[in-house]
Amino acid sequence: MHNGALPDTEVLADRARTALERCGVTRLPESVGAPGAARSPITGQTLFPVEFDTPGSAERAVAAARDSFTSVWRDTPAPVRGQLVHRLGELLREHKADLAELVTIEAGKIRSEALGEVQEMIDICDFAVGLSRQLYGKTMPSERPGHRLMETWHPLGVVGVITAFNFPVAVWSWNTCVALVCGNTVVWKPSELTSLTALGCHGLLMRAAADVGAPSDIHRVVLGGAEVGEVLVEDERIALLSATGSTAMGRAVAPKVAARMGRYLLELGGNNAAVVAPSADLDLVVRGSVFSAAGTAGQRCTTLRRLIVHEDVVDQVVERVVDGYKQLRERIGDPYEESTLVGPLVGERGYTAMREALERAEAEGGQVLVGGDRRLEKDAGDAYYVEPAVVRMPGQGEIVRQETFAPILYVLTYRTLEEAVELHNGVPQGLSSAIFTQDQAEAERFLSAAGSDCGIVNVNIGTSGAEIGGAFGGEKDTGGGRESGSDSWKAYMRRATNTVNYGGELPLAQGVRFL
Ligand code: UN1
């Protein structure tokens, strides 16, 4: 079928096959069980069938990863484990374009964002290799003579990783690269929308493993939907479950993992806002907010969803942001096109959610200033391209407090900074936030304990596009987990406190006398 301005589905399928082959995946998984399919949001059509796992085959994958943990990986010195991630980093540099191609085909990301996502993988590889020589434990002075007190960090076991469609490679790599250098093995259940991308990542990691002599079962990928993910939730051999997705998913998963005393690390929804103060540099506001709100077609956890603007500058800000959005209107479509800035939504659900949210916003007194219309419907009826929307709201009602995974930016106004912070924190989610201001004291107040309640708090940049060096994650309904840089690695290890007596006596702590 020819889609006018869009590439043919057959062409996309061929490109996907070639990219997979180049990553080292020559055969798609067969007959493991359930029938599945790979599809592309670019045309909305199926590329080709892919076999999904069954709960039984997923359990076997967990068993294999557990064996590999106990028999080899936990005793492999951390710097040697780092060599595996180092090799993966080299292969990612070599195959950056191939993996980005799969991300574009399955997640619909524009080329530069898809390449940026693979760059994020390369960056975390570099970070994790350094980390492999820095899994530091502290030593503390003992209160007893002839004693040494210290802590040692050990791997946990098998880490289950569940990822979402919107960052199909980077979020896997944050978890997996860190988990592997920490001495864990990994079972990965990617979104069922991005199976090919996952196979590409797994293919590269298996090549890296073969090159450095690591066992192949250090990493297994299990494909499919919730029933496959459920195995990772329930299986006691999954020591840590790191899951990215909706708050509803997190609420379902967390109590089950907690009931078996497993650990979990959750990266859930965001409802990120930027406060625009009267002193703000409006050039920065426009660039920062248009990228954060409309980039990735509004499908990042870190997407800017609320702009909280001081009354004195709101008309100016709105005019300039809407201008920016009008320019975007010419640049919606085929994510392969160099000039495209907004690719498709991943599917119909996002589109329906966007339509419903816009209707509800209007019912709550909002005014849609730009966007909201569907595009390219005639060229590809199964694909969902939309114009990113800006909606001026009279207040922070129900719909603004929800996360709609689509490009809608709500504009609210404030008078005092206290009021801005109250609005800002007055949503259930707590991932990312920003303030645009030239007033240092105001910026510091936003960064302080009484300011933003999010895990990420920025000044004069948007809410999305975090670097890997910092810890990534958020509070409240966002789930509380931290991944990626800083000391996030500690979530992937267990701490042992060691007291060593090298003196000839055995004094008891706290002055206790016994025998
Ligand atoms: C996500 O949307 O799940 O900060 C992750 C960002 C990216 C990661 C987003 N580095 O926008």
Side-chain angles (χ1 to χ4, degrees), residues 280 348 371 454:
E348 186 177 7
C454 288

Side-chain angles (χ1 to χ4, degrees), residues 133-387:
R133 290 185 185 268
Q134 299 177 77
L135 302 170
Y136 302 133
K138 289 181 170 152
T139 60
M140 305 83 174
S142 170
E143 66 189 52
R144 285 170 282 186
H147 282 60
R148 189 155 74 87
L149 191 54
M150 62 179 185
E151 57 188 20
T152 319
W153 290 88
H154 296 303
L156 291 173
V158 186
V159 173
V161 178
I162 294 180
T163 55
F165 79 86
N166 67 329
F167 270 80
V169 296
V171 175
W172 168 73
S173 69
W174 301 346
N175 281 284
T176 301
C177 294
V178 172
L180 287 174
V181 301
C182 289
N184 304 292
T185 57
V186 173
V187 178
W188 178 24
K189 201 223 61 89
S191 158
E192 67 263 49
L193 302 176
T194 54
S195 304
L196 302 182
T197 309
L199 292 172
C201 292
H202 180 69
L204 290 174
L205 181 55
M206 289 301 99
R207 280 171 62 186
D211 289 350
V212 302
S216 60
D217 286 338
I218 46 142
H219 187 264
R220 295 289 295 259
V221 54
V222 291
L223 301 180
E227 66 298 339
V228 175
E230 197 66 21
V231 172
L232 304 188
V233 173
E234 299 284 2
D235 198 309
E236 299 221 328
R237 291 167 296 187
I238 299 292
L240 167 71
L241 181 71
S242 176
T244 302
S246 67
T247 298
M249 181 278 288
R251 273 195 218 291
V253 156
K256 292 185 187 165
V257 181
R260 60 172 178 82
M261 297 294 176
R263 298 186 187 199
Y264 56 78
L265 194 171
L266 299 174
E267 298 291 355
L268 311 173
N271 188 352
N272 317 297
V275 172
V276 182
S279 65
D281 175 334
L282 295 192
D283 289 339
L284 300 187
V285 172
V286 174
R287 283 201 65 218
S289 46
V290 175
F291 168 66
S292 278
T296 330
Q299 299 170 111
R300 290 193 189 212
C301 313
T302 51
T303 290
L304 177 67
R305 309 205 178 276
R306 298 175 295 141
L307 202 56
I308 303 170
V309 191
H310 192 275
E311 269 177 12
D312 291 353
V313 286
V314 69
D315 290 335
Q316 240 178 309
V317 168
V318 162
E319 194 186 314
R320 294 194 51 184
V321 169
V322 168
D323 262 2
Y325 270 61
K326 284 184 179 151
Q327 289 170 42
L328 286 185
R329 279 212 291 228
E330 311 310 314
R331 304 178 71 173
I332 300 167
D334 179 7
Y336 273 106
E337 277 293 325
E338 202 62 42
S339 61
T340 299
L341 294 178
V342 182
L345 293 177
V346 79
E348 186 177 7
R349 235 170 58 192
Y351 174 69
T352 310
M354 181 167 180
R355 289 301 326 152
E356 284 172 6
L358 290 175
E359 270 168 35
R360 283 190 52 192
E362 282 181 320
E364 288 181 23
Q367 193 194 350
V368 180
L369 304 175
V370 64
D373 287 339
R374 189 166 165 193
R375 298 280 290 270
L376 294 163
E377 197 178 346
K378 286 199 187 72
D379 299 308
D382 299 320
Y384 294 88
Y385 293 84
V386 286
E387 293 177 359

Side-chain angles (χ1 to χ4, degrees), residues 101-122:
E101 174 120 46
L102 292 167
V103 172
T104 294
I105 293 172
E106 279 192 310
K109 281 195 191 185
I110 61 170
R111 279 304 271 171
S112 106
E113 288 198 58
L115 288 165
E117 194 185 338
V118 183
Q119 184 58 45
E120 213 168 311
M121 305 175 81
I122 295 168

